[in-house]
Amino acid sequence: MTEKLGFGVDIGGSGIKGGVVDLETGELVGERFKVDTPQPSTPQACAQVAREVIDHFSWEGPVGITVPAVVTNGIVRSAANIAPEWIGTDANALFGSTLDRPVTVLNDADAAGLAEDRYGAGRDFDGVILLLTLGTGIGSALIYRGTLVPNTEFGHIEVDGKEAEHRAASSVKERRGWSYEKWAGQVSRVIREYERLIWPDLIIVGGGISRKADKWVPLLDVRTQVIAAKLLNTAGIVGAAQAARSR
Ligand code: BGC
């Protein structure tokens, strides 16, 4: 029974969430548990909260953990929307010792992409999938036939002189008080640049605002089929658990 279960922790700018995942279905077993992200969101403070989240479930096995940053070989390499102390942090060592178990650390959008590809909106799709998470920043995952190219960071591609995430993250819409129409114009601009450079066959949009996808996806003026993510606020947790399993 426990063989098919895994555990994922999703570290975000506002919350640190975790849950037990059924790796056959990609569904959570029981509730998702969320604790506010500590401020400042330093690596040590977040690792302590991750421990609290895992202890809440009395989970004893390996865990997968997402961070909103580039992660290569367990080392965090960037910190666009988190505390700068993360840069250079050996996340494998930090979480491994704080949590006292094997850990797999990966980028948040990469985790969401893995989960959507296997269990969600990309399931059974044969072609290049680009997943975009639209939130505080823009996260990206590029997947082809189940294989992820990690750390794509397309949110930082410059589009007409401005970083994509500064143009079209959902936080920009909120901050500026834009309508869906106005914001969709910016998202289209960014996606057209991705189309020009990557030629995806399917774009999956995730992040909190994908819950209202029917309000803005139809307004997009792009070539590629765009569909909303299905796992919504569990994609990061599920993808983290998947990554830990396939490690
Ligand atoms: C970061 C990415 C992250 C994305 C979504 C970007 O600012 O550079 O690593 O995936 O935000 O959290």
Side-chain angles (χ1 to χ4, degrees):
M1 170 67 186
T2 50
E3 270 297 284
K4 66 168 193 166
L5 299 183
F7 197 96
V9 177
D10 190 12
I11 298 185
S14 61
I16 298 184
K17 301 139 261 177
V20 178
V21 178
D22 180 330
L23 291 164
E24 280 169 11
T25 62
E27 282 162 3
L28 291 200
V29 179
E31 294 290 289
R32 188 180 79 123
F33 183 65
K34 177 175 170 184
V35 177
D36 285 346
T37 304
Q39 295 305 335
S41 53
T42 60
Q44 281 75 14
C46 290
Q48 283 305 330
V49 173
R51 187 179 181 128
E52 201 181 315
V53 169
I54 294 163
D55 287 350
H56 173 84
F57 295 89
S58 307
W59 175 261
E60 285 179 350
V63 298
I65 300 170
T66 77
V67 290
V70 172
V71 185
T72 59
N73 300 316
I75 314 281
V76 177
R77 303 286 184 185
S78 67
N81 295 304
I82 47 169
E85 290 90 335
W86 279 94
I87 296 177
T89 295
D90 184 338
N92 273 352
L94 170 71
F95 289 109
S97 63
T98 313
L99 308 175
D100 196 22
R101 72 192 70 217
V103 297
T104 304
V105 185
L106 73 163
N107 172 265
D108 56 354
D110 282 349
L114 288 173
E116 288 293 338
D117 178 58
R118 170 99 188 259
Y119 308 106
R123 194 179 167 159
D124 300 327
F125 184 83
D126 188 23
V128 175
I129 299 178
L130 173 64
L131 170 119
L132 300 173
T133 60
L134 302 160
T136 309
I138 295 181
S140 61
L142 190 65
I143 298 173
Y144 182 56
R145 296 190 172 168
T147 302
L148 166 81
V149 178
N151 297 307
T152 45
E153 293 293 316
F154 295 145
H156 300 293
I157 284 181
E158 218 176 271
V159 179
D160 297 333
K162 200 171 187 172
E163 268 186 63
E165 75 173 24
H166 295 154
R167 245 182 215 294
S170 66
S171 59
V172 178
K173 175 182 184 301
E174 269 165 50
R175 208 169 39 243
R176 305 253 170 98
W178 283 349
S179 63
Y180 281 108
E181 284 74 13
K182 175 135 199 205
W183 178 65
Q186 292 299 323
V187 176
S188 299
R189 231 165 134 177
V190 164
I191 289 181
R192 285 197 297 268
E193 185 69 2
Y194 296 158
E195 288 178 323
R196 196 173 73 80
L197 299 171
I198 304 150
W199 285 80
D201 298 303
L202 176 69
I203 295 175
I204 301 174
V205 285
I209 201 154
S210 65
R211 237 176 286 235
K212 304 246 173 76
D214 55 326
K215 288 202 161 56
W216 58 272
V217 168
L219 305 174
L220 295 175
D221 179 17
V222 299
R223 182 183 58 221
T224 315
Q225 184 191 2
V226 178
I227 57 175
K230 284 213 174 115
L231 281 77
L232 301 174
N233 62 8
T234 64
I237 297 173
V238 174
Q242 255 176 286
R245 161 58 58 89
S246 59
R247 178 181 185 251

